[in-house]
Amino acid sequence: MTDTTQAAERLAALIRIPTVTPRDAGPHDEATAASFTALHDALRAFYPRTFGHAVETVGRAGLLIRIPGKDDERPLVLMAHQDVVPVPRDWAAEGWEHEPFAGVIADGWVHGRGALDDKGALTVMLEAVESLLAEGRTPPHDLYLLMGADEESYGDCAITAASLLAERGVTPWMVLDEGGAVATGAFPGLDGEAAVIGVSEKGIVDLRLTVEGLGGHASTPPRESAPGILARALARIEAHPHPVAVNDVSVEMLELVGGRLKGPLGALLRRASSLRGVLARVMPRLSPELAAMVRTTVAITQLEGSPAHNVLATRATAVLNLRVAIGSSVSEAVEHVRRTVDDARVAIAVEVPSEPSPVSPRGDDARWASLVEAVAVSYPDALTLPYVMLAASDSRHLAPAAGATYRFAPLRMSKAQREAVHGPNEKVEVESLGRGVVFYRALLTSERLA
């Protein structure tokens, strides 16, 4: 059995254990707890050398493993999460080719929920660590493996682990979590693969907008209802987005892409640093993804009003999910919304704020260089690019104290695969799993990290 085949079969087995993310911050229900226990049992069976080291439970079902290195001066933290998002009961109607939790291996692909987010990365990470331990390798510095169990529901596993490391005086020198990938079709005109590595991530905050009403019978509606007032506020928010700005990381990314392109587009991108104003105006018009790169975004995600069709609402609420651009802050983002709404009848409550993460080193820094070299070994034709991660990861809880935090899963993802994350037909190439193992082995044996 090759390492690639073994990784695929073990990933398929993990997919068959439906570790669906908890719905709230309370304790696991019996079925959820049983799923995570079964997953832990499988991990211990697959990776006995890794789990032969000190294993601690963090949060509800998170795992923290310390593998002692030759010294503890520059600890490395590798992260991946065990939980997955749920699938609809009528999964076939959603368009799945295979049952989401069947863990089917077919035609060179592993299919199922979590194949990419994030059990695929979890598997190749553990395969690499286990194989190095089997060879008698000792990490040059302490190695921590942090496997959260509630990343998809913004739980406290990573928060607990970060607090625990801080209490013990452990300051991570380098953290690597999920985020970017080896993407194809990521940039117009760029042929081949781009290994996009998150060197920061946007902040995140929820805003709950509430308007109170008098209620009553729907036959005698007031001139202004609570839902109507709220709707006008939401319309103003969408009509007045946050200001645009092209950050330094995006400029660096665009100039590197421009170096691979010919023609007018390549010439434009190679001058990104001097054309920030033009790019800031153009990018939001090209796609939602490019718009999200240059501004704080606001998504209206939840609405609630009357409990019945013939009853006036006594309260109307909306939840906004903001992703805060680097260079800005939660307070700035919230103030923009307050100014835009400009209506004292709309109460705005701030929930679960998390600031943008610090920007990690690039260039000649040993940590960045080790990642670039590991990509070169595992995906020789890929162009390595820094970027600002638009989504949120567990690593944001370690980033403020860490020396450098990067976000990258060494798996190939086409545009269709990226769209399948949290959607139907999530799958990963078996061949890419083998390359992922090569990436982690190259990283963990890099002389730059010694």
Side-chain angles (χ1 to χ4, degrees):
M1 178 183 293
T2 66
D3 288 343
T4 300
T5 301
Q6 176 175 276
E9 293 187 351
R10 288 177 171 175
L11 171 58
L14 299 182
I15 289 172
R16 295 181 195 118
I17 305 171
T19 47
V20 175
T21 196
R23 289 172 292 183
D24 53 42
H28 282 160
D29 59 51
E30 187 174 335
T32 302
S35 291
F36 279 95
T37 297
L39 186 79
H40 296 172
D41 290 343
L43 294 176
R44 287 186 174 89
F46 292 157
Y47 309 109
R49 295 177 182 85
T50 302
F51 279 77
H53 292 84
V55 181
E56 296 179 80
T57 300
V58 289
R60 285 175 292 192
L63 298 173
L64 179 64
I65 301 176
R66 174 179 174 261
I67 301 175
K70 295 177 181 177
D71 65 56
D72 59 1
E73 293 180 356
R74 294 187 293 177
L76 171 65
V77 180
L78 300 182
M79 301 176 64
H81 62 87
Q82 312 164 53
D83 59 312
V84 300
V85 295
V87 296
R89 185 170 299 177
D90 189 6
W91 54 266
E94 193 184 38
W96 284 85
E97 298 173 2
H98 301 278
E99 195 278 318
F101 292 116
V104 171
I105 302 176
D107 302 321
W109 296 81
V110 182
H111 299 256
R113 176 60 81 227
L116 293 173
D117 187 16
D118 188 33
K119 288 181 178 177
L122 176 74
T123 299
V124 297
M125 176 185 79
L126 290 172
E127 288 285 324
V129 172
E130 185 75 8
S131 67
L132 291 171
L133 292 175
E135 295 169 8
R137 303 282 194 99
T138 299
H141 309 282
D142 283 1
L143 174 63
Y144 290 86
L145 306 178
L146 174 55
M147 293 163 276
D150 50 16
E151 189 273 348
E152 298 290 4
S153 51
Y154 304 145
D156 65 354
C157 286
I159 297 172
T160 302
S163 297
L164 190 63
L165 292 175
E167 291 170 5
R168 295 173 180 172
V170 176
T171 301
W173 182 58
M174 176 179 174
V175 175
L176 178 62
D177 194 8
E178 65 169 337
V182 182
T184 58
F187 299 93
L190 180 63
D191 296 327
E193 300 167 341
V196 287
I197 301 176
V199 297
S200 178
E201 66 181 62
K202 298 177 82 171
I204 184 170
V205 61
D206 287 335
L207 300 183
R208 186 175 298 274
L209 277 57
T210 303
V211 179
E212 302 289 346
L214 295 176
H217 199 282
S219 62
T220 55
R223 186 175 66 84
E224 289 187 297
S225 66
I229 295 169
L230 179 63
R232 283 190 289 277
L234 297 178
R236 287 197 294 273
I237 290 169
E238 289 199 331
H240 298 87
H242 286 71
V244 293
V246 181
N247 59 62
D248 291 344
V249 175
S250 294
V251 166
E252 183 178 343
M253 177 189 71
L254 294 172
E255 290 182 341
L256 287 169
V257 171
R260 287 282 185 98
L261 301 182
K262 298 179 180 179
L265 181 58
L268 173 68
L269 295 183
R270 288 192 292 274
R271 298 175 56 205
S273 180
S274 60
L275 296 175
R276 289 178 193 247
V278 173
L279 292 169
R281 291 191 297 272
V282 171
M283 289 173 67
R285 302 175 185 176
L286 298 179
S287 73
E289 291 79 9
L290 292 176
M293 286 177 56
V294 297
R295 63 158 45 108
T296 294
T297 57
V298 181
I300 303 169
T301 57
Q302 292 179 301
L303 293 169
E304 186 176 357
S306 170
H309 69 277
N310 60 348
V311 176
L312 297 175
T314 57
R315 173 179 295 175
T317 62
V319 175
L320 313 181
N321 183 260
L322 279 64
R323 303 301 171 107
V324 184
I326 63 170
S328 183
S329 65
V330 169
S331 62
E332 288 181 354
V334 173
E335 181 57 28
H336 176 88
V337 172
R338 292 189 190 278
R339 289 197 309 269
T340 301
V341 170
D342 191 25
D343 190 333
R345 296 171 297 178
V346 182
I348 301 176
V350 178
E351 300 179 353
V352 199
S354 178
E355 297 289 350
S357 296
V359 178
S360 295
R362 288 141 2 253
D364 294 331
D365 186 272
R367 292 158 293 192
W368 174 256
S370 69
L371 292 171
V372 174
E373 290 179 355
V375 169
V377 171
S378 52
Y379 294 89
D381 298 326
L383 171 65
T384 301
L385 302 169
Y387 87 116
V388 176
M389 185 172 166
L390 305 181
S393 72
D394 271 345
S395 70
R396 72 185 188 278
H397 301 300
L398 279 72
T405 303
Y406 302 103
R407 302 148 186 91
F408 176 69
L411 301 173
R412 185 185 294 113
M413 297 188 198
S414 65
K415 185 175 186 294
Q417 284 176 279
R418 297 193 296 275
E419 292 172 347
V421 173
H422 291 199
N425 294 323
E426 187 177 351
K427 61 184 179 180
V428 64
E429 289 177 277
V430 172
E431 187 263 353
S432 182
L433 293 172
R435 290 178 181 268
V437 177
V438 171
F439 170 86
Y440 276 110
R441 284 182 56 90
L443 177 66
L444 292 170
T445 56
S446 172
E447 292 185 359
R448 292 182 179 272
L449 300 184

